[in-house]
């Protein structure tokens, strides 16, 4: 089947695969300036703990030891800045994101925090990474993979740019399986988050999409198999906060 005729999900809608990226880009252009504030409001600050767990799983070395990390779909640099803070002078982070507005917010943040010498922001598509093979020690992607139209391509590219022995870590919303919590989570997701999105970022639809895209994303066991199909070994995942998010890990061996 040609890619033109293939369909995919954009939230609840079914759209041609080739149209999804443009729609996703519109969402993040619209919310870029309010994105970090919205994360705090929507998750009641929990996204900080989830991202800290991701950084702990990396973990960047102390001191001068050279360590290069690629943060895919890294947006406003939230993960990248945490990695740079946690690591020593030898830790270098490249944020790669398709959206120039998200990157501009991130570059400003890095400058204000005095981390712009160790964190760089580059525009690129996770499906066609502009880096040579075996360039990075670690590749991370937080809350990004479900927005990429061709997830298999992004995973294959992450595998390609990792050095042998390199570590891949993916933090993504998952499926809540704690009785009682699932109903509360559903109500909060579908009724509260889009309203916060409207009030704070002036965009109800963008946050409706974000919530719906979470529901369409594969369950963690299925996603672990997709990661393995890209070539990664020793693939594991850990669920957090009753399954609200999962941290997946795989190695290029
Ligand atoms: C929910 S944000 C996550 C940002 C950041 N990782 C964080 O955790 O705060 C999703 C990001 O994925 C980016 N994105 C979507 N499709 C992409 C693609 N094909 N390649 C690279 N980045 C992409 C968006 O521009 C957006 O910045």
């Amino acid at each position: 089947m040609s890619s033109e005729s293939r369909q995919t999900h954009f939230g609840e809608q079914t759209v041609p695969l080739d149209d999804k990226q443009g729609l996703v880009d519109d969402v993040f252009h619209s919310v870029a300036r309010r994105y970090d504030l919205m994360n705090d409001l929507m998750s009641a600050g929990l996204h900080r703990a989830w991202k800290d767990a991701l950084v702990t799983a990396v973990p960047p070395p102390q001191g001068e030891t050279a360590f290069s990390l690629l943060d895919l779909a890294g947006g406003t640099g939230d993960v990248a800045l945490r990695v740079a803070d946690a690591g020593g002078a030898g830790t270098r982070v490249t944020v790669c994101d398709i959206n120039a507005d998200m990157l501009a917010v991130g570059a400003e943040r890095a400058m204000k925090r005095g981390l712009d010498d160790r964190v760089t922001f580059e525009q690129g598509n996770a499906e066609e990474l502009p880096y040579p093979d075996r360039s990075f020690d670690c590749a991370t992607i937080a809350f990004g993979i479900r927005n990429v139209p061709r997830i298999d391509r992004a995973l294959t590219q992450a595998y390609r740019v990792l050095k042998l022995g390199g570590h891949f870590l993916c933090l993504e919303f998952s499926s809540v399986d704690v009785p009682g919590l699932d109903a509360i989570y559903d109500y909060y997701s579908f009724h509260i988050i889009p309203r916060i999105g409207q009030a704070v970022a002036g965009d109800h639809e963008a946050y409706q999409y974000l919530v719906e895209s979470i529901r369409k994303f594969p369950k963690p066991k299925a996603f672990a198999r997709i990661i393995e199909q890209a070539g990664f070994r020793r693939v594991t995942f850990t669920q957090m906060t009753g399954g609200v998010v999962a941290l997946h890990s795989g190695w290029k061996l």
Side-chain angles (χ1 to χ4, degrees):
M1 203 188 292
S2 74
S3 68
E4 287 71 25
S5 59
R6 284 170 61 198
Q7 304 281 306
T8 191
H9 293 294
F10 176 73
E12 281 292 297
Q13 300 169 49
T14 301
V15 298
L17 188 56
D18 290 339
D19 292 358
K20 175 164 171 168
Q21 190 68 65
L23 294 164
V24 167
D25 293 348
D26 289 346
V27 167
F28 291 102
H29 284 305
S30 158
V31 303
R33 290 273 148 199
R34 291 291 170 113
Y35 177 77
D36 293 298
L37 171 64
M38 277 299 294
N39 273 349
D40 272 332
L41 291 175
M42 287 186 318
S43 73
L46 277 172
H47 75 107
R48 294 167 180 254
W50 299 327
K51 287 172 179 164
D52 285 346
L54 168 64
V55 176
T56 303
V58 171
Q62 300 303 308
E64 301 289 332
T65 308
F67 181 74
S68 58
L69 183 141
L70 174 64
D71 188 37
L72 291 161
T76 60
D78 212 27
V79 166
L81 297 175
R82 282 166 206 274
V83 170
D85 268 339
T91 296
R92 296 273 182 282
V93 186
T94 303
V95 177
C96 177
D97 196 286
I98 205 163
N99 193 306
D101 292 341
M102 295 288 280
L103 290 165
V105 174
E108 253 174 55
R109 288 173 84 192
M111 186 92 78
K112 279 189 194 144
R113 303 255 302 265
L115 288 170
D116 49 315
D117 54 337
R118 293 199 289 123
V119 182
T120 51
F121 291 82
E122 293 173 359
Q123 194 167 13
N125 187 341
E127 294 182 2
E128 297 168 58
L129 289 175
Y131 307 108
D133 297 355
R134 296 183 292 278
S135 304
F136 298 95
D137 297 298
C138 185
T140 53
I141 182 162
F143 308 115
I145 197 81
R146 72 176 194 284
N147 296 293
V148 175
R150 298 165 190 85
I151 289 175
D152 52 341
R153 282 196 199 170
L155 294 172
T156 305
Q157 286 285 299
Y159 186 86
R160 181 183 68 73
V161 301
L162 275 173
K163 296 176 188 171
L164 205 59
H167 196 186
F168 172 71
L169 287 157
C170 175
L171 185 65
E172 191 48 271
F173 288 105
S174 189
S175 50
V176 172
D177 46 14
V178 176
L181 182 62
D182 50 0
I184 296 169
Y185 182 59
D186 271 359
Y187 183 82
Y188 182 74
S189 300
F190 287 103
H191 298 279
I192 309 292
I193 288 181
R195 285 188 200 162
I196 302 178
Q198 177 60 45
V200 179
D203 196 330
H204 181 281
E205 275 79 39
Y207 283 90
Q208 185 80 28
Y209 155 71
L210 290 175
V211 167
E212 287 165 353
S213 66
I214 292 169
R215 299 312 152 96
K216 298 290 179 200
F217 193 70
K219 297 219 183 303
K221 270 191 193 160
F223 185 52
R225 280 197 297 276
I226 297 172
I227 294 175
E228 280 170 351
Q229 281 158 11
F232 290 103
R233 296 290 168 257
R234 286 167 49 198
V235 174
T236 54
F237 65 87
T238 312
Q239 288 179 286
M240 293 182 260
T241 320
V244 172
V245 300
L247 176 60
H248 282 81
S249 161
W251 296 83
K252 178 168 175 175
L253 297 176

